[in-house]
Amino acid sequence: MVEGWHTGIVTKLVDATHNTRRFWIQIPDLEAFHFKPGQFVTLDLPIHEKKNKRWRSYSIASWPDGTNTFELVIVLLEGGAGSTYLFNEIKVGSELQVRGPQGVFVLPDSLEQELFLICTGTGIAPFRSMVHYIHQHQVKHAPIHLIFGCRYQQDLLYADELGQLAAEMPGFHYIPTLSRDHDWTGHKGYVHQVYEQMLEHRPPANFYLCGWKAMIDEAKQRIMALGYDRHAIHQELYG
């Protein structure tokens, strides 16, 4: 476990969509940055006098690879002090104060039950980390369903990569679902209809929810209404 704060150096920046950017951060004073897929880091940004108003937490979007570099994917929020600072001020070579990893939004010890990973927007980050980890370590698993909700096709993060992973990885299903894209030939509407249809026969399952509060609250209610125990539902709230 990495304790306390470290100075991170931004080594690479890539615009992923019109309002999301990928940040690669290296921690030079560590040989390797160890974390569990699903965990997050906290950044201390110079945007307020009070410490707790400067801190912003982001799920790690990469997977543990033995290096001291990790990736974050961040959305520019209108009026958001933290994301505005990161988008306007941070360049390759910039320093960031980083604490972590932290968090218990991690994979269960056993993947014998079906796994439903349900997310919107940058909530894809921890699930990208988890699925790559499972694939690379050949972890035995029941079917895994990654249900990713966005408005338009151009909002889908890591789409080609996750489609490729689904083609290579038996039992992994990538299900992008778009709510406003009329030209889209895949699943349309919201994530809720997708998993409800798949859960018709009530398979034993674990649920991981990541994204904005409204989506998570609705998903929890709907999954419990299907007869699942609330202990089978894990969440990571954004915003």
Side-chain angles (χ1 to χ4, degrees):
M1 181 58 117
V2 179
E3 298 290 346
W5 292 90
H6 296 267
T7 298
I9 309 285
V10 176
T11 58
K12 187 177 171 185
L13 293 168
V14 171
D15 285 337
T17 70
H18 75 284
N19 67 343
T20 54
R21 185 172 293 168
R22 299 167 69 183
F23 293 74
W24 281 262
I25 300 170
Q26 183 182 39
I27 310 291
D29 67 352
L30 295 177
E31 272 185 40
F33 184 77
H34 296 294
F35 63 95
K36 291 178 179 176
Q39 289 190 305
F40 64 87
V41 294
T42 299
L43 306 181
D44 185 358
L45 306 174
I47 53 176
H48 204 278
E49 294 84 61
K50 288 186 180 165
K51 271 187 187 176
N52 62 344
K53 299 215 170 161
R54 297 201 304 256
W55 293 349
R56 297 290 186 277
S57 296
Y58 300 99
S59 297
I60 302 169
S62 50
W63 49 98
D65 61 2
T67 72
N68 61 357
T69 299
F70 59 89
E71 180 189 335
L72 305 178
V73 61
I74 296 172
V75 64
L76 178 59
L77 293 173
E78 207 173 320
S83 62
T84 300
Y85 175 83
L86 288 166
F87 273 65
N88 291 347
E89 306 299 331
I90 294 300
K91 313 279 185 279
V92 170
S94 295
E95 291 189 352
L96 285 167
Q97 296 308 304
V98 180
R99 186 179 68 188
Q102 293 169 282
V104 294
F105 188 71
V106 295
L107 287 164
D109 294 333
S110 156
L111 298 177
E112 285 170 11
Q113 295 191 341
E114 289 197 41
L115 198 54
F116 284 80
L117 309 175
I118 302 163
C119 60
T120 48
T122 52
I124 190 74
F127 298 150
R128 178 185 185 235
S129 181
M130 289 176 183
V131 174
H132 273 282
Y133 178 86
I134 291 166
H135 184 48
Q136 292 200 342
H137 292 268
Q138 299 293 296
V139 180
K140 269 186 71 172
H141 62 86
I144 298 169
H145 312 279
L146 173 52
I147 304 168
F148 182 20
C150 288
R151 289 178 176 178
Y152 300 100
Q153 195 168 344
Q154 66 258 31
D155 299 326
L156 287 170
L157 295 160
Y158 308 113
D160 293 345
E161 175 192 304
L162 292 167
Q164 181 67 33
L165 206 52
E168 290 173 10
M169 187 175 165
F172 170 56
H173 308 281
Y174 168 58
I175 308 156
T177 307
L178 302 183
S179 60
R180 296 196 184 172
D181 200 323
H182 302 303
D183 302 324
W184 177 246
T185 53
H187 283 271
K188 289 180 179 162
Y190 295 103
V191 292
H192 308 294
Q193 290 79 31
V194 179
Y195 62 75
E196 282 180 333
Q197 208 175 351
M198 296 170 74
L199 293 167
E200 227 171 283
H201 304 298
R202 309 288 186 277
N206 269 306
F207 302 88
Y208 282 69
L209 314 174
C210 189
W212 300 108
K213 185 176 188 305
M215 184 280 284
I216 287 182
D217 287 348
E218 186 172 345
K220 272 163 66 177
Q221 285 174 349
R222 287 179 180 238
I223 291 164
M224 283 161 65
L226 291 169
Y228 288 95
D229 189 284
R230 64 186 177 84
H231 297 298
I233 305 171
H234 313 271
Q235 68 180 60
E236 190 75 289
L237 198 60
Y238 283 6

